[in-house]
Amino acid sequence: MQLDTLIIGAGAAGMMCAAHSGGRTLVIDHAKSAGEKIRISGGGRCNFTNMYAAPENFLSQNPHFCKSALSRYTQWDFIDLVARHNISYHEKTLGQLFCDTSAKDIIRMLLDEMTKAGADLWLQTSVTDIRKQDTGFKVDLETDGTRKTVNCQNLVIACGGKSIPKMGASGFGYQVARQFDLTMTDTRPALVPLTFGDDVLSDLKQLAGLSVPARVSCNGTSFDEGLLFTHRGLSGPSILQISSYWREKDAISIHLDPAQNIDTELKSRRTTSGRRNLSTTLADLLPARLAQHMIALSGLSGNLADQSDQTLSLLNKLLTNWQLTPIGSEGYRTAEVTLGGVSTNMLSSKTMEVKTVPGLYFIGEIVDVTGWLGGYNFQWAWSSGWAAGQAT
Ligand code: FDA
């Protein structure tokens, strides 16, 4: 079988690329359905992009690499596409756009666009061998128990990262990268809950289920979003975000409810209601179980009027700079994305083509470009998929 373009992976990036490739295109995927991660994303509503997406929202060893694709296919281009397909959507928070009805609308849209572009899709198909030819590639496939060989001018690797093996993540793309001697940056789970040793966990477990607004900081980066206490440690958007910046042995700093000035509030209440218990008063400002826990950690007791400015300032320091040191993360089992991947030094930022292997492309999560939580990772899949689609 002769093809212009073979795309391995019918996820977000692969489908986007197929919808914009010219010539004879085939997309293959080992899963039973296309776009499985899209289907489960955003709690089934797919946070498909972010209105404020900009290169600053992405991590990469080369922070400039993503600029070209993101500026040539922007969030507004994808929003136009969604609108053309009459998919209704809304902004949830911080520019994050979600489908009103179902993430399946986005999958249907991409499948429609692929059909319009004349691309074929083979599911439950895997690759058994890839050989470079003088021009193009020979790829052996196994589909429906039969072996097929395809010749293609362009081979696009769009098979995602290592996150959530249960959803079809195979790490296959890294194997292809190694086959062609491409440099890889270190990979690690990102956008993932953080875990703690028994000493800290025994305390955190007592807070399980509580959610509070927080500013979580690590290594010079901060996120103001929700924080969730769980039986395994800490989760919620602020923790998932900071997990991309956290490294082993680093402490994270938590500023509880940064929109409130708890110190000023406690000092003012000391004047008006000094006979109230400190812990009970803090429970007016923070969830009660958390308030009790923080007071216990501070070692303070008694009424508000018993507290000096100095002791209240010590408490404030704890509430605004609560230092905790995770021992790890929940890993690829629950990580939304893989940080790192195929080094951007190996790729053209305009087309995603491997500089040393004409006709070979890497797009989406497998590339060392990782977005923040909030629709940025899909935007990278759309932009990088589009860029390779234009070139193939
Ligand atoms: P993706 O993983 O989507 O697709 C890869 C495809 O390749 C899969 O279909 C897989 O089956 C196939 N494949 C793998 N190995 C293969 C092999 N050996 N042979 C054939 N096929 C193979 N992002 C965001 O912006 N907004 C959101 O709301 C969310 N929500 C979210 C929730 C959850 C639970 C997760 C795990 C992730 C998210 N994300 C997200 C991240 C987002 O899903 C992710 O960044 C993109 O799906 C990456 O797109 P890709 O196309 O690169 O990989």
Side-chain angles (χ1 to χ4, degrees):
M1 181 183 204
Q2 192 67 42
L3 294 171
D4 293 299
T5 303
L6 174 66
I7 301 173
I8 303 177
M15 288 199 278
M16 190 67 181
C17 180
H20 293 91
S21 291
R24 175 115 207 251
T25 302
L26 170 66
V27 188
I28 64 125
D29 201 296
H30 64 177
K32 277 190 190 146
S33 343
E36 276 297 272
K37 273 201 190 155
I38 301 176
R39 187 178 59 77
I40 59 156
S41 67
R45 296 257 169 104
C46 185
N47 174 196
F48 56 81
T49 192
N50 192 297
M51 292 198 289
Y52 309 120
E56 297 71 55
N57 308 117
F58 294 84
L59 292 89
S60 170
Q61 275 191 4
N62 175 1
H64 301 292
F65 179 83
C66 62
K67 289 181 178 170
S68 170
L70 288 174
S71 68
R72 287 164 62 235
Y73 191 88
T74 69
Q75 60 269 43
W76 304 109
D77 293 315
F78 195 77
I79 293 166
D80 276 353
L81 181 65
V82 167
R84 281 205 301 282
H85 282 258
N86 296 316
I87 299 173
S88 56
Y89 61 90
H90 60 279
E91 180 190 358
K92 199 167 173 190
T93 175
L94 304 170
Q96 301 168 7
L97 300 186
F98 285 75
C99 297
D100 284 349
T101 313
S102 166
K104 288 182 194 159
D105 290 343
I106 299 291
I107 301 175
R108 260 192 299 272
M109 175 187 85
L110 293 167
L111 290 172
D112 279 1
E113 290 290 315
M114 277 168 56
T115 308
K116 254 197 262 168
D120 287 323
L121 171 65
W122 292 359
L123 295 167
Q124 295 181 285
T125 302
S126 43
V127 177
T128 52
D129 193 39
I130 298 174
R131 296 179 298 285
K132 176 93 186 82
Q133 307 293 287
D134 286 343
T135 59
F137 304 84
K138 205 180 260 297
V139 181
D140 294 337
L141 302 176
E142 200 165 301
T143 184
D144 273 343
T146 51
R147 291 183 137 246
K148 291 195 168 128
T149 298
V150 301
N151 293 295
C152 55
Q153 286 302 308
N154 304 305
L155 178 61
V156 181
I157 310 299
C159 45
K162 300 180 189 174
S163 45
I164 323 230
K166 262 205 298 199
M167 300 294 306
S170 66
F172 175 75
Y174 304 111
Q175 196 180 308
V176 180
R178 276 193 295 276
Q179 178 182 343
F180 289 98
D181 292 327
L182 307 191
T183 311
M184 303 269 301
T185 67
D186 288 344
T187 50
R188 55 186 287 128
L191 301 184
V192 64
L194 296 174
T195 55
F196 293 84
D198 287 341
D199 48 339
V200 180
L201 192 59
S202 56
D203 281 351
L204 294 181
K205 269 183 181 167
Q206 294 170 31
L207 305 172
L210 290 181
S211 155
V212 275
R215 176 174 304 140
V216 180
S217 310
C218 189
N219 292 320
T221 303
S222 300
F223 291 94
D224 276 32
E225 290 189 59
L227 178 149
L228 178 69
F229 297 90
T230 74
H231 286 285
R232 286 193 286 268
L234 294 177
S235 186
S238 60
I239 293 294
L240 301 188
Q241 299 279 32
I242 214 66
S243 71
S244 301
Y245 294 85
W246 175 81
R247 293 295 177 274
E248 281 66 18
K249 299 198 172 73
D250 291 340
I252 57 169
S253 159
I254 300 172
H255 181 161
L256 294 167
D257 203 349
Q260 288 197 78
N261 190 331
I262 295 181
D263 190 40
T264 310
E265 189 59 36
L266 288 179
K267 283 177 181 157
S268 129
R269 291 192 189 197
R270 184 177 52 181
T271 318
T272 55
S273 13
R275 295 174 78 173
R276 284 195 78 208
N277 177 271
L278 175 63
S279 177
T280 317
T281 311
L282 189 61
D284 294 343
L285 308 170
L286 290 174
R289 264 190 292 155
L290 180 59
Q292 270 168 17
H293 181 71
M294 298 313 285
I295 295 294
L297 275 183
S298 74
L300 301 177
S301 60
N303 291 341
L304 272 175
D306 302 331
Q307 315 303 326
S308 64
D309 275 2
Q310 205 188 355
T311 51
L312 285 183
S313 296
L314 280 176
L315 174 61
N316 187 52
K317 199 166 165 208
L318 188 62
L319 299 175
T320 57
N321 184 17
W322 184 16
Q323 299 260 332
L324 289 173
T325 305
I327 54 162
S329 78
E330 287 187 9
Y332 289 115
R333 189 178 58 81
T334 60
E336 283 202 9
V337 284
T338 305
L339 190 70
V342 174
S343 167
T344 56
N345 291 336
M346 311 305 297
L347 307 177
S348 151
S349 61
K350 191 162 179 236
T351 62
M352 306 291 136
E353 188 175 19
V354 176
K355 290 174 187 164
T356 50
V357 189
L360 180 63
Y361 297 75
F362 284 80
I363 56 175
E365 191 178 322
I366 189 155
V367 178
D368 171 32
V369 173
T370 308
W372 289 359
L373 184 80
Y376 301 100
N377 284 297
F378 277 137
Q379 186 57 45
W380 172 246
W382 316 137
S383 296
S384 60
W386 179 91
Q390 296 301 299
T392 54

